[in-house]
Amino acid sequence: MSKLPDPFREGLARGWKATNGEQGLPEQVQCDVVIVGSGAGAGITAELLTKAGLDVVLVEEGPLRTSTDFNQKESEAYASLYQEGGGRKNMDGTLTLLQGRCVGGTTVINWTSSFRTPASTLKFWEDNFGLKDFDEATMAPWFGQAEKRLNMHKWEEAPPNANNELLRTGAKKLGISADVIPRNVKGCWNLGSCGMGCPTNAKQSMLVTTIPSSLEAGARLFYQTRAQEFVIKGDKVEGLICVPIRVNGQKTSDKVMRITAKHYVVSGGAINSPALLKRSKAPDPHDLLGTRTFLHPVAFSGGVFEQRIEGWAGAPQSIYSDHFVHNAPPEGPIGYKLEATPMHPGLAAVLMGGYGKGLAERFQNYPNTQMMLALLRDGFHPESTGGNVILNVDGSPLLNYAMSDYVLAGFKQALLTMAEVQFAAGAKKVMPLHEQAQYYTSWAEAKAAISAYEMKSYYVGGGSAHIMGGCRMGGTEQQGVVRPDGVHWQLSNLSVHDGSLFPTSIGANPQLSIYGLTNRLATGLAKRLSGKDVALVA
C-alpha cells in the first residue's frame, strides 16, 4: 500500500499551508472566514468559499492522517481517527457513539452509504419547524451537485458481499423491498476497511476532495488545534481562541492562538458544535442550544449460516431496506432502516455480545456470521425528544441521551424483524444483541423469546454512528438556534454548517444530507460575503 500515490502528502510537499498545533501556533491569525472542523459540512463550505476568492482558515482538533497511514488495522484506526479513541458514549454508557476526529472528520471513517434526506423528513421539518423552502424538489439540485462532486452512485461495480446479499435474500423471501446503496467511491478496491480510512483514496471523503481543493486554492489548515471559545460582543463574534493539543487531546501549553475573521462557521458536528457555543456563552434566549440532539439508535442481530460469510471482506454496506421506515407514520411506532454491519474482529467482538468463555464460543461461529443492523428514526413522535448536550467540569461535551420506552419498544420490533429476515435467508441460528439472548434455531423460537425480552437500558446492546441536532434550524428564533440560511439567530457573523442543524434524525445515513444542505447554505454565504456566484460543480 505504501507505493500508492498519496495526493495529500504530495500537496504538502508542494507547499500547502498546514500547521500541526503540537509543533506551535502563531499568536494571531486574520482571515475572511474561519471554519471550525474539517468534516462534511466544513469541507463543502471551504471549497465553495475558496472558489469565491475568500481567505479561509480551517481549524481541526484531530490529527492529520492520510492514505499512507491507513493500514487496515483496527487497533490503530480507532485510537487515531475516532472521537475518544472510539469509546465516546452517552452519559449513562448505554450507547457507543462513533464519530471521526481527524482531518476530514467522520467522512474519513464512515462506510460510504449516501442517501438523500427522505421527503417525509423534509415535510416534517416544514410542518413543525417552519422550514418552508426545504422540500424535496427544492433540495434536489443541491443534493445532485454533491452527488456529482463526490461520485455518489449505486454500488454495482462488484457483487455485494455475502453479509449484504443475505439481507436482500431474506427480504425478498418475505416480500420486503430491498435495494442497492449509493456509495461515494471512485475506483473502489472492495477491500472492506472503509471504517479504518481508505488506503487507496477511493472513498471520496473530504480528505481527498474538498480539503485538498481548498488548500490548493490557498486555504490554511491548523490541525491538532482545538477551538476553545468564541469572543462575543453584542451580536457579533470578535475572535476565536484556539489551543494547541496532542493527539490524545491534552493541551501542549497555555499559549493560545486568536483568529479574527469577518465570518465564523461552526462545523464541529453534533455534540462538539453545541458544546463550543456553550463554552462561548453564546446567546440562547429560548434555551434551545444543545437540545433535541438525536441519534439513530442501532439494534443488531447476528445470524449463523452453513456457508462462510467473511463479513470483513468487501464493501461494508451495499444493500438496504426502507420498508420499515416508509410504513412508520410519525404518530406510530418508531421506524427503522435495515442494513448490514461489517464484521472486522474488534467490532465483531462487541456486536456478538458476551464476554469470556461465552464470547469465545460465539467467535467459533465468526467466519459464518452475518450481522444485520436497524437504524431507528428518532425525533418524530411526542415521546421521542432526543438528548441534550451539556458541558463537563473541564468544558468537554457530554451527551445526556436516555433511551425512552418508545425507543426501546422500537428496539424489540427491530430485533424481531432482523431475526425473521435472517431465518428467511437461511440462517441456522440467530442471536440478537440483548443481555437475555441466546442462539435460537428457528423463527418461532426466536419470536417467542424476543417477545419476552425485558427492554431496558443496559439489557439492550446498541450504538450509533449518526449524531444529529443540537443547533437546529428553525423558521423563527423560538423554533431554532440558527436561521434557515444557517446564520445564528442572535449572532450576525456566525453560521452553523453541519449535522447539528437537523431538527430530528433523518432516517437515513446522514452524510449526503449534510453535503446537500451545506452546499445550499455555503453557496448563499459565499454570495453574501464576496458577491460572487459559485457552485460545487460547473
Side-chain angles (χ1 to χ4, degrees):
M1 295 298 180
S2 60
K3 295 182 180 180
L4 291 172
D6 188 335
F8 206 106
R9 291 198 180 191
E10 292 170 2
L12 292 173
R14 288 199 308 274
W16 286 355
K17 298 171 184 175
T19 301
N20 182 344
E22 188 172 3
Q23 297 173 0
L25 294 172
E27 291 185 7
Q28 300 282 339
V29 172
Q30 290 187 327
C31 60
D32 292 325
V33 183
V34 58
I35 303 170
V36 178
S38 63
I44 295 293
T45 300
E47 178 162 284
L48 288 165
L49 296 184
T50 54
K51 280 188 174 186
L54 295 165
D55 180 16
V56 173
V57 167
L58 289 144
V59 177
E60 168 58 51
E61 179 181 82
L64 173 61
R65 297 288 185 268
T66 67
S67 57
T68 302
D69 303 303
F70 301 149
N71 56 18
Q72 300 178 280
K73 293 182 180 179
E74 289 179 282
S75 58
E76 296 181 19
Y78 300 152
S80 63
L81 302 177
Y82 286 67
Q83 288 285 354
E84 300 176 31
R88 174 169 276 187
K89 293 180 179 290
N90 58 336
M91 283 180 64
D92 64 12
T94 55
L95 294 167
T96 299
L97 309 175
L98 298 180
Q99 289 181 295
R101 181 181 175 271
C102 56
V103 174
T106 302
T107 73
V108 174
I109 50 91
N110 70 21
W111 297 340
T112 77
S113 298
S114 305
F115 297 96
R116 295 187 181 191
T117 312
S120 59
T121 298
L122 295 172
K123 182 65 166 60
F124 190 86
W125 293 356
E126 177 183 353
D127 293 344
N128 294 273
F129 297 94
L131 300 177
K132 303 297 185 185
D133 192 29
F134 288 83
D135 57 275
E136 185 177 24
T138 304
M139 290 302 298
W142 303 107
F143 290 135
Q145 284 190 8
E147 288 163 345
K148 185 174 181 181
R149 173 66 178 95
L150 302 174
N151 209 56
M152 293 174 174
H153 57 280
K154 283 190 175 183
W155 175 244
E156 293 172 337
E157 299 172 18
N161 63 8
N163 199 42
N164 282 268
E165 188 59 63
L166 286 168
L167 166 57
R168 179 158 57 184
T169 300
K172 184 177 180 180
K173 288 187 178 180
L174 296 174
I176 296 170
S177 62
D179 203 354
V180 177
I181 292 178
R183 305 181 65 223
N184 61 315
V185 294
K186 182 187 294 183
C188 180
W189 289 32
N190 206 24
L191 297 174
S193 57
C194 303
M196 293 167 260
C198 180
T200 68
N201 286 315
K203 185 198 300 188
Q204 300 298 285
S205 71
M206 300 299 91
L207 180 66
V208 300
T209 54
T210 60
I211 300 298
S213 73
S214 301
L215 294 173
E216 192 70 29
R220 288 168 282 172
L221 169 67
F222 293 90
Y223 60 95
Q224 286 181 231
T225 303
R226 177 179 295 132
Q228 192 65 32
E229 64 179 330
F230 291 111
V231 178
I232 297 172
K233 186 174 182 180
D235 69 344
K236 286 187 177 293
V237 177
E238 293 190 336
L240 174 65
I241 305 301
C242 303
V243 297
I245 60 173
R246 299 182 176 88
V247 174
N248 65 7
Q250 293 179 338
K251 290 196 303 182
T252 63
S253 72
D254 291 329
K255 293 181 179 180
V256 300
M257 173 176 70
R258 180 175 177 135
I259 303 177
T260 305
K262 297 175 183 176
H263 200 88
Y264 301 79
V265 178
V266 180
S267 299
I271 297 182
N272 286 349
S273 285
L276 171 59
L277 293 176
K278 280 178 174 285
R279 285 199 301 272
S280 307
K281 297 180 173 57
D284 184 24
H286 305 288
D287 294 322
L288 302 179
L289 182 60
T291 65
R292 289 189 66 84
T293 301
F294 290 103
L295 310 175
H296 288 141
V298 179
F300 300 92
S301 182
V304 180
F305 288 76
E306 193 71 39
Q307 69 272 29
R308 288 175 66 90
I309 306 302
E310 299 183 356
W312 57 85
Q317 287 187 330
S318 53
I319 301 293
Y320 75 101
S321 174
D322 270 353
H323 178 86
F324 298 96
V325 176
H326 297 320
N327 294 335
E331 66 276 7
I334 198 166
Y336 46 92
K337 186 185 197 81
L338 298 180
E339 295 174 338
T341 309
M343 287 290 286
H344 302 288
L347 184 61
V350 176
L351 299 183
M352 289 196 291
Y355 57 91
K357 182 180 178 181
L359 178 58
E361 290 174 349
R362 294 174 193 184
F363 248 97
Q364 292 177 352
N365 299 310
Y366 172 52
N368 298 65
T369 298
Q370 188 267 352
M371 187 64 66
M372 200 172 297
L373 65 81
L375 298 174
L376 275 65
R377 186 185 66 171
D378 199 3
F380 294 80
H381 189 276
E383 295 179 31
S384 183
T385 58
N388 187 22
V389 174
I390 64 175
L391 297 180
N392 206 338
V393 291
D394 63 354
S396 61
L398 296 170
L399 175 60
N400 183 13
Y401 179 97
M403 287 191 287
S404 65
D405 289 341
Y406 174 75
V407 170
L408 288 168
F411 262 79
K412 176 175 282 192
Q413 190 56 49
L415 293 176
L416 285 164
T417 294
M418 290 187 289
E420 185 176 15
V421 172
Q422 287 171 321
F423 278 117
K428 300 302 179 184
K429 53 185 179 180
V430 168
M431 179 178 288
L433 185 57
H434 189 282
E435 283 299 310
Q436 294 173 324
Q438 59 186 28
Y439 280 118
Y440 309 113
T441 58
S442 70
W443 164 231
E445 182 186 16
K447 183 178 181 181
I450 296 169
S451 297
Y453 284 172
E454 295 177 75
M455 302 304 293
K456 54 186 180 182
S457 296
Y458 305 107
Y459 277 43
V460 177
S464 184
H466 306 156
I467 300 94
M468 297 151 281
C471 298
R472 68 181 183 269
M473 295 188 300
T476 67
E477 64 175 79
Q478 290 79 21
Q479 293 174 300
V481 175
V482 303
R483 307 182 324 208
D485 63 359
V487 178
H488 194 282
W489 272 107
Q490 288 79 37
L491 297 171
S492 59
N493 64 338
L494 183 141
S495 297
V496 179
H497 289 184
D498 60 22
S500 69
L501 292 169
F502 301 160
T504 64
S505 75
I506 61 171
N509 307 62
Q511 72 162 338
L512 178 52
S513 290
I514 299 172
Y515 291 141
L517 179 57
T518 301
N519 182 22
R520 171 175 165 168
L521 302 183
T523 299
L525 179 61
K527 178 71 171 180
R528 294 194 299 274
L529 294 178
S530 71
K532 296 180 181 179
D533 293 309
V534 294
L536 275 184
V537 291

